[in-house]
Amino acid sequence: MKEGEMENGGRKKGWNFRPSAELAAPTQITIRGILGTLMSNLDGGDERPRIQLGHGDPSSFPCFRTSPIAEDAVISAVRSAKYNCYSPSVGLLPARRAIAEYLSHDLPYELSPEDVFVTVGCIQAIEVTMAVLAHPGANILLPTPGFPIYEARAAFAGVEARHFDLLPDRNWEVDLDAVKALADENTVAMVIINPGNPCGNVFSYQHLAKIAETAKKLGILVIADEVYDHLTFGSNPFVPMGTFGSVVPVLTLGSISKRWAVPGWRLGWLVATDPHGVLKETKIINAISTYLNASADPATFVQGAIPEILGKTGDDFFKKTTSMLRQTADICYDRIKEIDCVTCPYKPEGSMFVMVKLNLSHLEDIYDDVDFCSKLAKEESVILLPGCAVGLKNWLRITFAIDATSLEDGLGRLKSFCQRHMKKQLKDEKRRIKEKQI
Ligand SMILES: *Cc1c(COP(=O)(O)O)cnc(C)c1O
């Protein structure tokens, strides 16, 4: 190094390191980031309890506590002292076998343990999928609205994200014409989330069949995020995308985080639901193993508990969860109908969320969804997720995975907030109509 490049303390001028371009941009929107900002805006002076309708984690509510069978399974696994070791990078064989059996219940063919890779929650399954499919110029089709981890992981992997819409007036079905228009010879896959986050929709068998046919024609893989598997309480039952695995290869992503309400246990899976072995032939399966050889595994004792958790949890636990969600989804839908400034195009039938549209033209001093949520947090201590966090500006995502009393309280406060911020002209009109009726 030349003399002139040194500063006083003997340090080289400037540093050689800098953050990766994908991570340096402060524009990356994440659900956690936005909810964190809203929480920091809360007015400390409000005596009322804070009501969280922005989260996707009901584990802290006593009514959503996981099954004792799951708790006991983990305790026994720890006590057995058999699971203090490192795990094989693809997961413990009994856990892989249990996941294969669990998913095969709903499929027209049998999965084998070799089809299953155990991951650190569904999030790692997303990470692995994006990394494995990345090649120069590759693009992937993602839903709008969607789950922003896909955008983030596609960006880290260097895969271009292209977006198709889910259609609110068609029960949030995939706009398949848009999918066909977006795809080209560099398109590798399309992502569906079913049951849906953030829309609470459940795809019908017929719609899934059309998705499979479309993907087959385009020569692309379907990535099916089924982290809310079986959390359905409407007219459409849950049908796994893997049902159509003989039409088009499917990578199924899931976890115990949502159905068992234990997102902190970090146990998920990435599964080749592909009876013709296309993914093996195209060496995708190899690449998954290679990637997992160089990453962290889920805790071995949680893997050790998986055969009990998946095999022994009784129907009573699942029924209790879905009937609670059915009840709170009803409350949510009914209360929102009574509020002028928001509309809900679709009554949720699955997952834990509903999307509602903000009618900004009815509101006096609200600029957009983020402004709405910040003021709502400040004035009412109610947290909602602004739609921009899931790709739909000026919508809101509301979670109904919360006890019914708190939900009623939160939606009541949402209603008074909307009434307070309604345009004066509309308020006057409403008053006149009311007076006429009297
Ligand atoms: C919660 C969620 C995940 C992440 O699941 P984990 O098992 O907690 O990692 C993935 N996809 C969607 C759509 C989710 O809502």
Side-chain angles (χ1 to χ4, degrees), residues 420-434:
R420 208 161 54 240
H421 289 269
M422 196 192 288
K423 281 209 169 125
K424 189 172 172 304
Q425 180 192 340
L426 283 170
K427 274 190 206 163
D428 292 345
E429 229 165 80
K430 286 198 98 148
R431 195 175 315 119
R432 272 199 300 275
I433 293 170
K434 229 184 197 160

Side-chain angles (χ1 to χ4, degrees), residues 281-303:
E281 207 177 290
T282 50
K283 304 235 168 22
I284 295 291
I285 297 296
N286 255 337
I288 294 172
S289 293
T290 306
Y291 189 92
L292 288 173
N293 270 333
S295 38
D297 318 309
T300 313
F301 66 87
V302 182
Q303 296 192 49

Side-chain angles (χ1 to χ4, degrees), residues 33 135 144 150 155 237 323 353 355 369 426 433:
H135 64 69
T144 298
Y150 284 94
S323 80
F353 310 102
M355 286 295 282
D369 51 344
L426 283 170
I433 293 170

Side-chain angles (χ1 to χ4, degrees), residues 31-32 56 119-126 146-150 192-198 225-228 253-258 262-264 266-269 351-353 397:
I31 293 178
R32 283 187 202 186
T119 57
V120 185
C122 184
I123 297 265
Q124 195 195 25
I126 298 173
F147 186 63
I149 297 281
Y150 284 94
I192 60 163
I193 302 171
N194 181 50
N197 177 8
D225 183 327
E226 297 177 351
V227 78
Y228 296 97
L253 282 45
S255 77
I256 58 169
S257 301
K258 310 293 163 68
V262 288
R266 308 311 304 134
L267 194 126
W269 49 80
S351 84
M352 310 172 168
F353 310 102
R397 188 191 75 173

Side-chain angles (χ1 to χ4, degrees), residues 6 38 72 102 198 421:
M6 292 297 218
L38 290 176
D72 291 342
Y102 169 71
H421 289 269

Side-chain angles (χ1 to χ4, degrees), residues 127-146:
E127 172 195 329
V128 177
T129 306
M130 292 295 170
V132 160
L133 294 175
H135 64 69
N139 69 71
I140 190 161
L141 310 183
L142 303 180
T144 298

